[in-house]
Amino acid sequence: MVQSAAAYFVRGFCLMAGVFVSGAVAQPGEWKPVPGPISTVWAEQVDPVRPLPEYPRPLMAREAWESLNGLWEYAIREEGGEEPEAFDGKILVPFAVESSLSGVGKVLEPDATLWYRRTVQVPETWVGKRVLLHFGAVDHHARVWLNGTFLGEHRGGYDPFSFDLTDALKDGGENTLVVAVQDPTDAGGQPRGKQVRNPSGIYYTRSSGIWQTVWMEPVPETHVESMAIRSDRLGSRIMVDVEASGTIGDDWIWVEAMADEEVVSSGRARPGERVTLPIKDLRVWTPEDPFLYGLRVSVVRDGGTVDEVQSYCGVRDVRIGKDASGVMRILLNDEPVFQFGPLDQGYWPEGLVTPPSDEALRFDVEAVKRMGGNMLRKHVKVESQRFYHWCDRLGVLVWQDMPSANNPPEAREQFEDELRRMIDALGNHPSIVMWVPFNEGWGQYETERIVGMVRGLDPTRLVNNASGWTDRGVGDVIDVHIYPGPGM
């Protein structure tokens, strides 16, 4: 057996556990992996009752939450139909329907719909709060219902999305959650990375449907919705912009920064205003010393905490500048850093785009450092938040690709929407130092405008205008692909 996808690097260098709610208990014989020619050691340890049980969003964590990973009912039907009366069997969420670990191993054709169904029960302790349903990622077009009420839809295979379940919940007992997914793969123009319907060579098996953690959490009417966390190394400060829902005039946003569990700075601002935290004796984040300041973010009213989330920040900056000899280099915290690592594609024999466990995910990140690397390029794929959490904690720099698309004119709006969402979803991770909007000539168009858009969204990181092929001279680096090389 191989241990992970990272094992190919040598030969081809090219917080909390959730409580599972009712309806997720696996019965004997309900699930087993689809036999395949290769698997990792972690595949044998997958628990169908508690797959991937770790808290899925470490950068904005709440104590109360419940995972909906586990066995769901599934059915594959012709596109355009209604929810089927009878389902085909069980599927293990969050593994794509084509994968071994899903227990299904069937392809989803462009003209078909993949239906999911399960029951959920809200704990009594959540009564009186809003209940949010979160999807880490679903490929590609998802529609969601609860108890027959349509909650909404989402197009995009790589970014998280949420719905408020509260008004559709029953007063007590079980609730029926239904998800319908369509995925054209390479028959459509949407971002898809290396997924194709007929995999060969450098292209891989399609991965359709739910492929990241599904979970619920209770929140008060007034709660933190999102955060933008930035740091200023030269100014020795951390800046936090908080978007909060349901705030009133007397509310405050409080933020505390911790080092080794001790509060080292605190600050407050009115909702919609920036909180700035000066840090004395600042400790920067580097691959050799990936130090993270803990953050506690609260909405406060009349002296009491209304909502609270936990987060973290790594203080570092990245830019292009001259080294001591006058040569232009990539500078991390004003020091030239030679970045060396793999083209990390993030595919698993048994889980396809989804790792079999968090331990396996961590193994791949640690493997980079064991083999002498300090970075990886996440190649035409977006990972779960926990992947970047491990890069943050272990000190691995990330060059983040936008998943490739065909990008015909009618699909470019979708590509740009997903590019914006990727940057928004991942922008708080200190490990990410570069955005790569285009890989080689795959869907490359209007490069100068796209690079300008990325810089406008995130001026704190570098932009690689195109990795290989057509360099338009508008990025921060020249990225050359020479096979087998060398070339300059």
Side-chain angles (χ1 to χ4, degrees):
M1 289 186 180
V2 299
Q3 285 193 307
S4 85
Y8 291 105
F9 174 70
V10 175
R11 289 182 292 147
F13 181 46
C14 310
L15 279 159
M16 295 170 278
V19 178
F20 281 70
V21 296
S22 62
V25 177
Q27 301 299 323
E30 282 190 311
W31 173 85
K32 62 179 181 179
V34 176
I38 190 171
S39 66
T40 69
V41 293
W42 298 284
E44 302 169 357
Q45 302 165 13
V46 171
D47 179 358
V49 178
R50 295 175 57 82
L52 295 169
E54 294 78 15
Y55 189 81
R57 193 182 58 189
L59 268 167
M60 203 174 93
R62 289 188 174 91
E63 290 186 4
W65 73 287
E66 293 199 352
S67 175
L68 297 182
N69 290 348
L71 289 175
W72 296 43
E73 295 179 281
Y74 88 94
I76 298 176
R77 298 289 184 270
E78 291 184 3
E79 184 178 357
E82 300 295 323
E83 175 189 343
E85 293 184 6
F87 279 62
D88 299 342
K90 300 285 187 175
I91 184 170
L92 187 60
V93 170
F95 297 103
V97 67
E98 294 90 353
S99 71
S100 167
L101 289 180
S102 72
V104 178
K106 297 178 181 178
V107 298
L108 181 64
E109 298 293 355
D111 60 353
T113 299
L114 170 60
W115 292 88
Y116 295 84
R117 184 173 68 188
R118 64 157 294 158
T119 58
V120 298
Q121 189 166 345
V122 174
E124 292 183 3
T125 54
W126 293 12
V127 173
K129 296 185 177 182
R130 310 301 297 184
V131 179
L132 304 181
L133 172 68
H134 301 285
F135 292 86
V138 180
D139 198 2
H140 161 75
H141 175 202
R143 293 171 291 150
V144 184
W145 294 261
L146 185 72
N147 298 325
T149 298
F150 181 60
L151 299 178
E153 62 183 330
H154 178 83
R155 284 182 169 87
Y158 296 94
D159 57 286
F161 59 98
S162 304
F163 298 111
D164 190 327
L165 300 179
T166 315
D167 295 337
L169 287 168
K170 295 178 181 178
D171 289 338
E174 293 186 336
N175 299 267
T176 301
L177 179 62
V178 173
V179 181
V181 180
Q182 282 132 350
D183 183 17
T185 312
D186 55 338
Q190 81 290 342
R192 58 181 172 82
K194 284 195 169 186
Q195 299 180 64
V196 293
R197 289 169 293 167
N198 296 299
S200 64
I202 65 168
Y203 297 98
Y204 305 145
T205 303
R206 66 187 101 174
S207 298
S208 306
I210 299 170
W211 68 275
Q212 287 189 26
T213 290
V214 187
W215 50 290
M216 300 189 304
E217 67 173 349
V219 297
E221 288 284 347
T222 300
H223 61 272
V224 175
E225 286 191 327
S226 64
M227 299 182 297
I229 303 168
R230 297 294 181 265
S231 62
D232 176 7
R233 180 183 61 86
L234 295 177
S236 296
R237 58 183 181 168
I238 295 170
M239 297 87 74
V240 184
D241 294 287
V242 177
E243 292 290 333
S245 174
T247 57
I248 60 176
D250 291 334
D251 290 346
W252 290 92
I253 304 296
W254 276 89
V255 183
E256 295 174 297
M258 283 82 68
D260 300 322
E261 300 186 358
E262 281 193 23
V263 175
V264 295
S265 185
S266 62
R268 69 175 187 170
R270 292 296 186 185
E273 298 177 353
R274 171 168 291 181
V275 180
T276 300
L277 304 176
I279 306 292
K280 187 179 179 181
D281 299 323
L282 183 74
R283 186 171 169 184
V284 297
W285 185 98
T286 68
E288 297 75 26
D289 181 23
F291 181 78
L292 298 172
Y293 286 93
L295 296 178
R296 182 162 50 232
V297 180
S298 308
V299 181
V300 176
R301 178 181 299 163
D302 297 329
T305 300
V306 179
D307 187 34
E308 180 180 291
V309 298
Q310 303 289 331
S311 189
Y312 61 83
C313 176
V315 179
R316 61 102 189 97
D317 52 47
V318 60
R319 66 181 180 89
I320 301 297
K322 293 181 179 180
D323 65 11
S325 63
V327 177
M328 298 295 282
R329 304 288 190 194
I330 296 175
L331 304 180
L332 184 71
N333 304 322
D334 280 340
E335 295 293 330
V337 175
F338 183 83
Q339 298 185 30
F340 172 77
L343 188 70
D344 183 1
Q345 318 222 8
Y347 279 77
W348 296 83
E350 62 282 287
L352 299 180
V353 288
T354 308
S357 70
D358 194 63
E359 179 187 358
L361 198 62
R362 177 172 180 164
F363 178 93
D364 260 14
V365 177
E366 289 178 327
V368 172
K369 304 207 79 171
R370 286 199 303 272
M371 290 184 267
N374 61 1
M375 63 79 67
L376 59 85
R377 178 176 161 209
K378 178 46 62 178
H379 187 41
V380 294
K381 185 195 175 191
V382 177
E383 295 285 357
S384 70
Q385 294 275 350
R386 291 201 62 84
F387 173 86
Y388 303 98
H389 172 66
W390 284 121
C391 293
D392 295 341
R393 283 189 58 184
L394 298 173
V396 174
L397 302 166
V398 177
W399 297 17
Q400 178 61 52
D401 286 14
M402 174 62 192
S404 297
N406 296 340
N407 285 333
E410 65 275 11
R412 291 176 182 177
E413 182 178 356
Q414 178 69 27
F415 176 83
E416 293 176 32
D417 283 347
E418 292 193 45
L419 175 58
R420 291 186 189 95
R421 285 186 241 144
M422 179 187 75
I423 293 171
D424 182 62
L426 303 181
N428 291 338
H429 289 283
S431 56
I432 299 176
V433 294
M434 186 181 296
W435 302 114
V436 187
F438 297 113
N439 174 65
E440 298 184 344
W442 300 7
Q444 187 176 355
Y445 73 97
E446 298 181 36
T447 308
E448 184 173 4
R449 182 178 68 82
I450 296 299
V451 168
M453 183 184 83
V454 172
R455 282 190 170 134
L457 292 167
D458 184 3
T460 70
R461 291 179 172 90
L462 305 180
V463 183
N464 183 341
N465 78 158
S467 184
W469 268 241
T470 309
D471 187 289
R472 297 296 185 187
V474 294
D476 292 303
V477 298
I478 298 171
D479 187 335
V480 180
H481 293 188
I482 298 294
Y483 305 107
M488 180 61 68

